[in-house]
Amino acid sequence: MTENTQQQNSAPITELPTQYAPAEVEGELYERWVERGYFEADAKSDKEPFTVVIPPPNVTGSLHLGHAFEHTLIDALTRRKRMQGYETLWQPGMDHAGIATQNVVERELAKEGKSRHDLGREAFIERVWQWKGESGGQISGQMRRLGDGVDWSRERFTMDEGLSEAVQTIFKKLYDDELIYRAERIINWCPRCLTAISDIEVEYQDDDGELVSIRYGDGDASIVVATTRAETMLGDTAVAVHPEDERYKHLVGTEIELPLTGRRIPVVADEHVDPEFGTGAVKVTPAHDPNDFEIGQRHGLPNLAVMDEHAVITVHGPFQGLDRLEARSAIVAALRAEGRIVAEKRPYTHSVGHCSRCKTTIEPRLSMQWWVKVGPLAKAAGDAVRDGRVKIHPQEMEKRYFDWVDNLHDWCISRQLWWGHRIPVWYGPNGEIVCVGPDEEAPTGEGWRQDTDVLDTWFSSGLWPFSTLGWPQQTESLAKFYPNSVLVTGYDILFFWVARMMMFGLYAMDGTPPFHTIALHGMVRDQFGKKMSKSFGNAVNPLDWMDTYGSDAVRFTLARGANPGVDVPIGEDWVQASRNFANKIWNATRFALMNGATIEGELPPVEQLSAVDRWILSQLNKTVAEVDAFYEDYQFSKLSDSLYHFAWDEVFSWYVELSKTTFFAGGEQAEVSGRVLGEVLDVMLRLLHPVVPFVTETLWTTLTGRESLVIAEWPKTVSVPGADAPGGFRDEAAEAEIESVKAVVTEVRRFRKEQGLQDGQKVPARLDLTGTPLAAHEAAIRQLLRLQPEGEGFHATATLPVAGATVGLDLSGTIDVEAERKRLAKDLAAAEKEKQQANGKLGNEAFLAKAPDNVVDKIKARLAKAEADIERITTQLANLPQA
């Protein structure tokens, strides 16, 4: 529906309450938008499409401040595009979050004294679906609170029937193209979650451990190796040295005894070993280290696993049954008893991988898993950015993207879980392996079984831009809305999610990338720049802020902090300031409506407009152009700032105040300014709507009587009859004239404040405005500055030249001149002393030679402030009335 076909609001608000109460407005407004289908996208429309997918939140979670931030940016983009006439689809949905969801439900079972194995696979999965049904609606409700303009009729879930078909289809296609394979390799294993996890799901942090140096063999046939994981020595199958290392050439090809085990292992030469690091010799444990596995492959070494899936030792009697950390201490003690420990360093800080879900230390483990051969897929993903089909914004983030896709290892996609998309592969009784597509019958009969593993969650979410539109079916929605126009997401999942979507989209959609632009934003942090976390005690539930300050205030605060690719600090006082802004919009619009602001009829011709009217319309067009440019560059912070300063400073603080004398006087000019003010409010509220939708909707429907801002037209620059110009009306002369008025008012206000005058205190004044364009504004200037006409006995005790005019003020009787002179003299003496001290230090060569740069900079700053204070105070003294 376009603005031209909008109906009058069925229940228009005839009068605005004295105060804006978000809680009384937001919920009702949102449900009205949804009921009227404003957010629904029509695949049959002939409008140009604009598509964005929601980064699917985990079904386990709730809306945190990071979600609110991201959703605000996407909602602002899509609301604007909808107003611009695009067929706009913001695709909603949630991710099944395999590990996280299974962990949640297993914890619930543990409260009943049960495990998933007590239920069995099918019953456990039923239990997860039951949990999803009870808890999965939480995020949807929170999205409504925030005002997300998503098409709820298209909501998807990564485990629903259609998306499951897409997963099975692409698995089969990749398998048939030999891009999916099964192999035994070292993987990242979580002993807590009991599943493999991918490289990017491992979080590294510095942990305190121990570094022990162990002597293998005896006498001349001995080598010292160092390790932080002594327990893995039970699985050593070689010691490796560099082929050119003269210290060990006599041992290469021989065997030495592995302590504690009675086994003899070979010494091998391998160029992977750094002869300059440590002793130049390394223990080789192919089943428990990725680098050792590669050495083992090159030298045909056996792979000896010494731990089970719980990281419990499974070999060598004395240590069998011990947890890995218990075994580590026991093995070091046994080696020490045998005199095998050459050196110990404790604590030894080193980088250790942890499971991103449960924070358990990762155990490298040799395991049979399913893999995606990413080489050709990653190359295509890199090429799409390099050749300009996909743009990354901000551009400096491209390097991080290329660093990843150009060095991507094959992706382990199998997970040892029950909740997720089960791998569609069946094994036969005679070693047969059959991959089954969605339209194919699985093999049956004795001995056939399906693989028990499920797919990595990122496998299904990597299909999100096209699976949500009905792929593999060639639907109208797929034809209309793929590829997406833009992906808005955090730089933290550039590798987790974005690269996966790029690889799968290009592969499944015949070389068409999943989106034209990747717009990356930063992370939300607290007001001190610290990461928000429950453990830090600084996490914020955005619903609490919405309850207190309103959703618009939260949205505006988040948008105003959103510089591309940069983290966003946020504090509650900033949300309070945004609430004040919403209140200011409300109060000023209410005042405008009470004083004749209207959108009825055309704008008056230019010759009927006052300079103030022409100035604000010129500023309005400047703002429209600025906001449009910032939107196209994803500069949410700058567009929000532009709107804030235009609304608060130009419209409310200046135009409304300068026009009050006109409005109060009434008559034809008041009607002209009322129409101008109505136009300004109409355009301003449209511009603000994508970021602060609730308060603007309420005000705009009251102002215009029309149905909804959601389906209103996005504003273009305003034209004024009799003054048409390319790009809309601009009047530089009026802008300069009003800037002069603002300069006079600002300077006199500053002087009044310095003299300690109260805001409402009236002062007799003479305004010499002859020869300046300020004469037409004398009444407004006097009202704004509380300046009375000069009366009998007027004596200008202070004269201020500003903007070509002169303002004489009679301060006699308004301030205690002598007391003020003493106060200023005291301040001047302090400033001069500060200047003298700073000059003394900066003139001391010995001090400058020793002082750090930051200390010198601080002293220079003190000097600059002292000099500015001296100039200011001297001027104030000169302007004081003479005794």
Side-chain angles (χ1 to χ4, degrees), residues 6-26:
Q6 282 196 44
Q7 302 296 315
Q8 293 291 321
N9 195 329
S10 58
I13 303 170
T14 56
E15 185 176 340
L16 290 172
T18 55
Q19 291 185 326
Y20 177 50
E24 297 175 11
V25 170
E26 294 174 350

PDB file of all heavy atoms in Angstrom, residues 6-26:
ATOM      1  N   GLN A   6      -3.454   5.370   1.120  1.00  0.00           N
ATOM      2  CA  GLN A   6      -3.752   5.205   2.536  1.00  0.00           C
ATOM      3  C   GLN A   6      -5.124   5.780   2.865  1.00  0.00           C
ATOM      4  O   GLN A   6      -5.534   6.821   2.343  1.00  0.00           O
ATOM      5  CB  GLN A   6      -2.707   5.931   3.396  1.00  0.00           C
ATOM      6  CG  GLN A   6      -1.397   5.176   3.518  1.00  0.00           C
ATOM      7  CD  GLN A   6      -0.579   5.735   4.663  1.00  0.00           C
ATOM      8  OE1 GLN A   6      -1.119   5.989   5.723  1.00  0.00           O
ATOM      9  NE2 GLN A   6       0.711   5.878   4.451  1.00  0.00           N
ATOM     10  N   GLN A   7      -5.784   5.082   3.756  1.00  0.00           N
ATOM     11  CA  GLN A   7      -7.075   5.559   4.254  1.00  0.00           C
ATOM     12  C   GLN A   7      -6.837   6.447   5.465  1.00  0.00           C
ATOM     13  O   GLN A   7      -5.789   6.397   6.112  1.00  0.00           O
ATOM     14  CB  GLN A   7      -7.949   4.359   4.655  1.00  0.00           C
ATOM     15  CG  GLN A   7      -8.195   3.387   3.516  1.00  0.00           C
ATOM     16  CD  GLN A   7      -8.982   4.018   2.383  1.00  0.00           C
ATOM     17  OE1 GLN A   7      -9.970   4.692   2.634  1.00  0.00           O
ATOM     18  NE2 GLN A   7      -8.538   3.816   1.152  1.00  0.00           N
ATOM     19  N   GLN A   8      -7.821   7.237   5.785  1.00  0.00           N
ATOM     20  CA  GLN A   8      -7.750   7.975   7.043  1.00  0.00           C
ATOM     21  C   GLN A   8      -7.712   6.973   8.192  1.00  0.00           C
ATOM     22  O   GLN A   8      -8.319   5.915   8.127  1.00  0.00           O
ATOM     23  CB  GLN A   8      -8.980   8.877   7.187  1.00  0.00           C
ATOM     24  CG  GLN A   8      -9.030  10.012   6.178  1.00  0.00           C
ATOM     25  CD  GLN A   8      -7.952  11.044   6.420  1.00  0.00           C
ATOM     26  OE1 GLN A   8      -7.656  11.374   7.555  1.00  0.00           O
ATOM     27  NE2 GLN A   8      -7.346  11.535   5.349  1.00  0.00           N
ATOM     28  N   ASN A   9      -6.962   7.293   9.204  1.00  0.00           N
ATOM     29  CA  ASN A   9      -6.864   6.400  10.364  1.00  0.00           C
ATOM     30  C   ASN A   9      -8.259   6.139  10.912  1.00  0.00           C
ATOM     31  O   ASN A   9      -9.031   7.061  11.163  1.00  0.00           O
ATOM     32  CB  ASN A   9      -5.981   7.076  11.427  1.00  0.00           C
ATOM     33  CG  ASN A   9      -5.536   6.104  12.488  1.00  0.00           C
ATOM     34  OD1 ASN A   9      -6.250   5.161  12.796  1.00  0.00           O
ATOM     35  ND2 ASN A   9      -4.349   6.338  13.019  1.00  0.00           N
ATOM     36  N   SER A  10      -8.570   4.843  11.111  1.00  0.00           N
ATOM     37  CA  SER A  10      -9.917   4.485  11.560  1.00  0.00           C
ATOM     38  C   SER A  10     -10.234   5.041  12.935  1.00  0.00           C
ATOM     39  O   SER A  10     -11.392   5.267  13.264  1.00  0.00           O
ATOM     40  CB  SER A  10     -10.054   2.953  11.569  1.00  0.00           C
ATOM     41  OG  SER A  10      -9.077   2.382  12.404  1.00  0.00           O
ATOM     42  N   ALA A  11      -9.219   5.239  13.740  1.00  0.00           N
ATOM     43  CA  ALA A  11      -9.449   5.805  15.076  1.00  0.00           C
ATOM     44  C   ALA A  11      -8.355   6.823  15.374  1.00  0.00           C
ATOM     45  O   ALA A  11      -7.485   6.588  16.197  1.00  0.00           O
ATOM     46  CB  ALA A  11      -9.474   4.701  16.128  1.00  0.00           C
ATOM     47  N   PRO A  12      -8.348   7.961  14.685  1.00  0.00           N
ATOM     48  CA  PRO A  12      -7.259   8.910  14.854  1.00  0.00           C
ATOM     49  C   PRO A  12      -7.228   9.479  16.264  1.00  0.00           C
ATOM     50  O   PRO A  12      -8.263   9.635  16.911  1.00  0.00           O
ATOM     51  CB  PRO A  12      -7.574  10.009  13.824  1.00  0.00           C
ATOM     52  CG  PRO A  12      -9.048   9.903  13.603  1.00  0.00           C
ATOM     53  CD  PRO A  12      -9.382   8.466  13.767  1.00  0.00           C
ATOM     54  N   ILE A  13      -6.022   9.775  16.705  1.00  0.00           N
ATOM     55  CA  ILE A  13      -5.871  10.398  18.013  1.00  0.00           C
ATOM     56  C   ILE A  13      -6.131  11.884  17.841  1.00  0.00           C
ATOM     57  O   ILE A  13      -5.448  12.557  17.075  1.00  0.00           O
ATOM     58  CB  ILE A  13      -4.456  10.151  18.568  1.00  0.00           C
ATOM     59  CG1 ILE A  13      -4.182   8.650  18.631  1.00  0.00           C
ATOM     60  CG2 ILE A  13      -4.279  10.785  19.920  1.00  0.00           C
ATOM     61  CD1 ILE A  13      -2.737   8.318  18.942  1.00  0.00           C
ATOM     62  N   THR A  14      -7.137  12.403  18.483  1.00  0.00           N
ATOM     63  CA  THR A  14      -7.519  13.801  18.275  1.00  0.00           C
ATOM     64  C   THR A  14      -6.725  14.749  19.165  1.00  0.00           C
ATOM     65  O   THR A  14      -6.592  15.920  18.851  1.00  0.00           O
ATOM     66  CB  THR A  14      -9.017  13.978  18.549  1.00  0.00           C
ATOM     67  OG1 THR A  14      -9.300  13.512  19.876  1.00  0.00           O
ATOM     68  CG2 THR A  14      -9.835  13.172  17.553  1.00  0.00           C
ATOM     69  N   GLU A  15      -6.202  14.241  20.259  1.00  0.00           N
ATOM     70  CA  GLU A  15      -5.441  15.114  21.158  1.00  0.00           C
ATOM     71  C   GLU A  15      -4.357  14.292  21.833  1.00  0.00           C
ATOM     72  O   GLU A  15      -4.594  13.169  22.277  1.00  0.00           O
ATOM     73  CB  GLU A  15      -6.363  15.716  22.204  1.00  0.00           C
ATOM     74  CG  GLU A  15      -5.664  16.736  23.090  1.00  0.00           C
ATOM     75  CD  GLU A  15      -6.625  17.397  24.060  1.00  0.00           C
ATOM     76  OE1 GLU A  15      -7.846  17.356  23.811  1.00  0.00           O
ATOM     77  OE2 GLU A  15      -6.142  17.935  25.068  1.00  0.00           O
ATOM     78  N   LEU A  16      -3.161  14.843  21.884  1.00  0.00           N
ATOM     79  CA  LEU A  16      -2.051  14.138  22.500  1.00  0.00           C
ATOM     80  C   LEU A  16      -2.079  14.338  24.009  1.00  0.00           C
ATOM     81  O   LEU A  16      -2.306  15.456  24.482  1.00  0.00           O
ATOM     82  CB  LEU A  16      -0.721  14.662  21.956  1.00  0.00           C
ATOM     83  CG  LEU A  16      -0.391  14.313  20.509  1.00  0.00           C
ATOM     84  CD1 LEU A  16       0.859  15.072  20.073  1.00  0.00           C
ATOM     85  CD2 LEU A  16      -0.163  12.817  20.356  1.00  0.00           C
ATOM     86  N   PRO A  17      -1.840  13.279  24.781  1.00  0.00           N
ATOM     87  CA  PRO A  17      -1.700  13.454  26.232  1.00  0.00           C
ATOM     88  C   PRO A  17      -0.538  14.386  26.536  1.00  0.00           C
ATOM     89  O   PRO A  17       0.342  14.598  25.707  1.00  0.00           O
ATOM     90  CB  PRO A  17      -1.417  12.025  26.722  1.00  0.00           C
ATOM     91  CG  PRO A  17      -1.893  11.127  25.630  1.00  0.00           C
ATOM     92  CD  PRO A  17      -1.708  11.878  24.356  1.00  0.00           C
ATOM     93  N   THR A  18      -0.521  14.898  27.739  1.00  0.00           N
ATOM     94  CA  THR A  18       0.531  15.853  28.099  1.00  0.00           C
ATOM     95  C   THR A  18       1.893  15.181  28.177  1.00  0.00           C
ATOM     96  O   THR A  18       2.917  15.830  27.991  1.00  0.00           O
ATOM     97  CB  THR A  18       0.218  16.519  29.452  1.00  0.00           C
ATOM     98  OG1 THR A  18       0.021  15.481  30.437  1.00  0.00           O
ATOM     99  CG2 THR A  18      -1.025  17.370  29.354  1.00  0.00           C
ATOM    100  N   GLN A  19       1.929  13.876  28.460  1.00  0.00           N
ATOM    101  CA  GLN A  19       3.203  13.154  28.549  1.00  0.00           C
ATOM    102  C   GLN A  19       3.147  11.891  27.706  1.00  0.00           C
ATOM    103  O   GLN A  19       2.082  11.284  27.535  1.00  0.00           O
ATOM    104  CB  GLN A  19       3.520  12.775  30.001  1.00  0.00           C
ATOM    105  CG  GLN A  19       3.856  13.963  30.888  1.00  0.00           C
ATOM    106  CD  GLN A  19       4.283  13.515  32.275  1.00  0.00           C
ATOM    107  OE1 GLN A  19       3.791  12.523  32.788  1.00  0.00           O
ATOM    108  NE2 GLN A  19       5.206  14.247  32.876  1.00  0.00           N
ATOM    109  N   TYR A  20       4.317  11.522  27.167  1.00  0.00           N
ATOM    110  CA  TYR A  20       4.406  10.306  26.374  1.00  0.00           C
ATOM    111  C   TYR A  20       4.629   9.118  27.310  1.00  0.00           C
ATOM    112  O   TYR A  20       5.562   9.109  28.114  1.00  0.00           O
ATOM    113  CB  TYR A  20       5.559  10.408  25.375  1.00  0.00           C
ATOM    114  CG  TYR A  20       5.775   9.154  24.558  1.00  0.00           C
ATOM    115  CD1 TYR A  20       4.712   8.528  23.900  1.00  0.00           C
ATOM    116  CD2 TYR A  20       7.038   8.587  24.445  1.00  0.00           C
ATOM    117  CE1 TYR A  20       4.905   7.382  23.147  1.00  0.00           C
ATOM    118  CE2 TYR A  20       7.244   7.439  23.681  1.00  0.00           C
ATOM    119  CZ  TYR A  20       6.172   6.834  23.040  1.00  0.00           C
ATOM    120  OH  TYR A  20       6.356   5.692  22.306  1.00  0.00           O
ATOM    121  N   ALA A  21       3.766   8.104  27.199  1.00  0.00           N
ATOM    122  CA  ALA A  21       3.869   6.893  28.020  1.00  0.00           C
ATOM    123  C   ALA A  21       4.076   5.697  27.090  1.00  0.00           C
ATOM    124  O   ALA A  21       3.111   5.137  26.563  1.00  0.00           O
ATOM    125  CB  ALA A  21       2.610   6.711  28.863  1.00  0.00           C
ATOM    126  N   PRO A  22       5.331   5.297  26.843  1.00  0.00           N
ATOM    127  CA  PRO A  22       5.615   4.224  25.882  1.00  0.00           C
ATOM    128  C   PRO A  22       4.834   2.949  26.154  1.00  0.00           C
ATOM    129  O   PRO A  22       4.353   2.304  25.219  1.00  0.00           O
ATOM    130  CB  PRO A  22       7.124   4.001  26.037  1.00  0.00           C
ATOM    131  CG  PRO A  22       7.655   5.284  26.578  1.00  0.00           C
ATOM    132  CD  PRO A  22       6.579   5.831  27.441  1.00  0.00           C
ATOM    133  N   ALA A  23       4.715   2.558  27.418  1.00  0.00           N
ATOM    134  CA  ALA A  23       4.053   1.290  27.748  1.00  0.00           C
ATOM    135  C   ALA A  23       2.600   1.264  27.291  1.00  0.00           C
ATOM    136  O   ALA A  23       2.041   0.199  27.024  1.00  0.00           O
ATOM    137  CB  ALA A  23       4.141   1.037  29.243  1.00  0.00           C
ATOM    138  N   GLU A  24       1.982   2.426  27.198  1.00  0.00           N
ATOM    139  CA  GLU A  24       0.576   2.499  26.790  1.00  0.00           C
ATOM    140  C   GLU A  24       0.414   2.517  25.274  1.00  0.00           C
ATOM    141  O   GLU A  24      -0.702   2.428  24.765  1.00  0.00           O
ATOM    142  CB  GLU A  24      -0.068   3.754  27.389  1.00  0.00           C
ATOM    143  CG  GLU A  24      -0.092   3.741  28.912  1.00  0.00           C
ATOM    144  CD  GLU A  24      -0.627   5.045  29.493  1.00  0.00           C
ATOM    145  OE1 GLU A  24      -1.172   5.851  28.696  1.00  0.00           O
ATOM    146  OE2 GLU A  24      -0.498   5.260  30.712  1.00  0.00           O
ATOM    147  N   VAL A  25       1.523   2.634  24.554  1.00  0.00           N
ATOM    148  CA  VAL A  25       1.462   2.816  23.107  1.00  0.00           C
ATOM    149  C   VAL A  25       2.037   1.630  22.347  1.00  0.00           C
ATOM    150  O   VAL A  25       1.447   1.139  21.370  1.00  0.00           O
ATOM    151  CB  VAL A  25       2.224   4.112  22.711  1.00  0.00           C
ATOM    152  CG1 VAL A  25       2.387   4.212  21.208  1.00  0.00           C
ATOM    153  CG2 VAL A  25       1.521   5.332  23.271  1.00  0.00           C
ATOM    154  N   GLU A  26       3.215   1.141  22.788  1.00  0.00           N
ATOM    155  CA  GLU A  26       4.035   0.268  21.946  1.00  0.00           C
ATOM    156  C   GLU A  26       3.368  -1.065  21.606  1.00  0.00           C
ATOM    157  O   GLU A  26       3.321  -1.458  20.426  1.00  0.00           O
ATOM    158  CB  GLU A  26       5.388   0.042  22.629  1.00  0.00           C
ATOM    159  CG  GLU A  26       6.212   1.312  22.713  1.00  0.00           C
ATOM    160  CD  GLU A  26       7.497   1.157  23.506  1.00  0.00           C
ATOM    161  OE1 GLU A  26       7.672   0.096  24.167  1.00  0.00           O
ATOM    162  OE2 GLU A  26       8.315   2.078  23.488  1.00  0.00           O
TER     163      GLU A  26
END
